[in-house]
Amino acid sequence: MANTPATSSSAGPVLRGLHNATIKRNLAVALGLTAVITVAFKILVNDPKKSAYAEFYQKYDANKSFERMKAAGRFQSC
C-alpha cells in the first residue's frame, strides 16, 4: 500500500468545448420542437377554423341577412 498513489490516475472529465456542444444540442432540440409545434398548431387549430369559415360562407346569404336585420329595426337609415 505504500507504493500506490493516493489519487487514481483516471482521466478527468473533458470540459473543453462542453459549452459549445451543449448549445448545439439545445439549438437542435429547440428547432425540432418548434417545427413539431408549428405543424401541430396548423393541423389542430388553423385547418378546422379555415374549414369552418369556408362552410359558413358557403351557406351565407348577405342579402337575406340584411333583410332580416332591416326587419328587426337594426338600422336607423333604412
Side-chain angles (χ1 to χ4, degrees):
M1 285 244 204
N3 293 339
T4 59
T7 60
S8 65
S9 61
S10 64
V14 178
L15 300 178
R16 185 174 303 276
L18 179 64
H19 183 65
N20 289 338
T22 305
I23 288 174
K24 285 180 187 176
R25 189 190 74 224
N26 289 344
L27 185 62
V29 169
L31 290 175
L33 285 175
T34 301
V36 168
I37 290 170
T38 301
V39 170
F41 189 82
K42 181 191 181 304
I43 291 171
L44 297 175
V45 176
N46 287 349
D47 288 347
K49 189 183 291 188
K50 196 177 199 181
S51 64
Y53 273 105
E55 181 183 340
F56 175 78
Y57 282 109
Q58 199 172 32
K59 301 175 192 174
Y60 182 68
D61 184 15
N63 290 330
K64 182 180 174 183
S65 181
F66 172 74
E67 292 300 328
R68 180 177 47 85
M69 288 185 280
K70 184 178 171 184
R74 294 287 184 174
F75 301 115
Q76 293 177 356
S77 63
C78 295

